[in-house]
Amino acid sequence: MARVLQIQHATVVVDDLEKACAFYEHELGLEALPTFNLDFPAQFFKINEEQQLHVTEWEDQASFRGHLCLQVDDFDSIFFRMRELGAIDVSPWGKVRRLPDGAMQMFIRDPAGNLIEISCPGEVAVDEAIFSDDLVDAEGGLYKSNRDDPRGLHTEDATLYHGRQRPG
C-alpha cells in the first residue's frame, strides 16, 4: 500500500479570483507561483518549499466548518489585522483561543467565505492584550459542541503540533 508523505497542496474555491489573490498575497503574505495553462481562473501560491495553496474561481459554496489550517510565525500581527478587516469568524468553531497544548487558534474567512484556521505553536509569544478582546476566549481550552459524541482517538496529551514537546 502507498504511504501518504505530506499534503502537497490544498485548493480553495472562490467567486472572485483577483479579490482572493489580493487577500492571500497581501494579507497572508503568500507568494504567487507560476500556474499551469488552465482553461479556468486559477492561481497557485507558495506556502513553503514543498506545499502550495491553489485558488480557483468557480460557482460554488463555502463550507461552514470545513477548513484548512495555516501556521504563522507572528500571531499578534495577523490577529489585529484580521480583526481590523472583520475577517475573524467565531461561529463555526468558537472564539480565538489558546489550546491545551499551548497553540493559538483563530478562524477567519477569506473574501469568498472560505474558512481558514490560523495557528501558531505554543512557544510563539502572544501579546497578552489579545486575551482581553471580545473575540477571544481568555480561559482557552477546546471548542465545546455539546454533541456528546466521543468517537475518534482522544487523549489528554493530544497536540495540534505532533512531533513537538507539549508545554508543562
Side-chain angles (χ1 to χ4, degrees):
M1 172 175 29
R3 188 173 68 95
V4 174
L5 301 176
Q6 68 180 11
I7 295 174
Q8 191 278 327
H9 75 269
T11 298
V12 294
V13 176
V14 302
D15 57 358
D16 183 329
L17 184 68
E18 289 72 20
K19 190 174 181 180
C21 287
F23 177 82
Y24 285 102
E25 192 167 353
H26 302 296
E27 302 300 340
L28 298 185
L30 298 182
E31 175 187 343
L33 293 171
T35 304
F36 293 121
N37 290 324
L38 303 167
D39 70 345
F40 57 90
Q43 180 59 58
F44 296 175
F45 287 94
K46 179 180 179 179
I47 293 176
N48 58 38
E49 293 305 315
E50 297 179 347
Q51 296 170 318
Q52 298 177 7
L53 178 67
H54 295 182
V55 179
T56 63
E57 183 179 301
W58 297 95
E59 290 184 21
D60 209 342
Q61 293 181 353
S63 173
F64 179 66
R65 282 197 175 86
H67 63 276
L68 63 98
C69 180
L70 298 176
Q71 178 183 341
V72 298
D73 62 356
D74 179 356
F75 193 83
D76 297 347
S77 64
I78 198 161
F79 170 82
F80 290 117
R81 180 62 180 151
M82 292 301 112
R83 184 169 194 4
E84 178 183 325
L85 292 175
I88 298 173
D89 187 353
V90 300
S91 299
W93 295 108
K95 292 184 174 189
V96 177
R97 67 185 72 244
R98 185 180 298 281
L99 297 172
D101 66 353
M104 290 299 295
Q105 178 185 61
M106 169 175 68
F107 291 88
I108 64 172
R109 294 278 176 186
D110 75 5
N114 292 298
L115 190 62
I116 311 293
E117 179 179 352
I118 302 294
S119 76
C120 70
E123 61 267 15
V124 173
V126 177
D127 185 341
E128 288 300 316
I130 287 175
F131 296 98
S132 62
D133 192 284
D134 291 343
L135 293 173
V136 177
D137 178 350
E139 301 297 317
L142 299 171
Y143 170 74
K144 302 281 189 231
S145 72
N146 297 315
R147 289 179 57 189
D148 196 28
D149 185 348
R151 288 179 287 172
L153 178 61
H154 299 248
T155 67
E156 292 298 320
D157 63 345
T159 178
L160 193 60
Y161 292 95
H162 62 279
R164 292 180 184 228
Q165 288 294 324
R166 190 174 162 169

